[in-house]
Amino acid sequence: MFRTERFLSVVNPNTGLPTWYFLTREGRKGPFSSKTNAQVALHHYIDGCARQGLASRRTRLLANG
């Protein structure tokens, strides 16, 4: 089994600065001003899914590992 990279950086054409996104099965979430902000948002996203019963045990373990 392998892990794919969940984070994507794209240069904003208006500012020339990188913007960050995280990827889910549902699509791309963002933009965020830094990878750290995207990582925090991903953890919140997974926690929300877990509270709703939408995240698998494996997903919760990967998020915390």
Side-chain angles (χ1 to χ4, degrees), residues 3 5-10 18-24 27-47 62-63:
R3 284 178 74 170
E5 184 60 43
R6 286 193 177 263
F7 300 97
L8 171 68
S9 175
V10 178
T19 54
W20 287 88
Y21 298 85
F22 66 86
L23 307 175
T24 69
R28 185 172 67 179
K29 308 293 182 186
F32 301 96
S33 60
S34 69
K35 186 174 182 180
T36 300
N37 289 346
Q39 289 169 325
V40 169
L42 173 60
H43 284 283
H44 288 296
Y45 177 82
I46 292 171
D47 287 343
L62 287 174

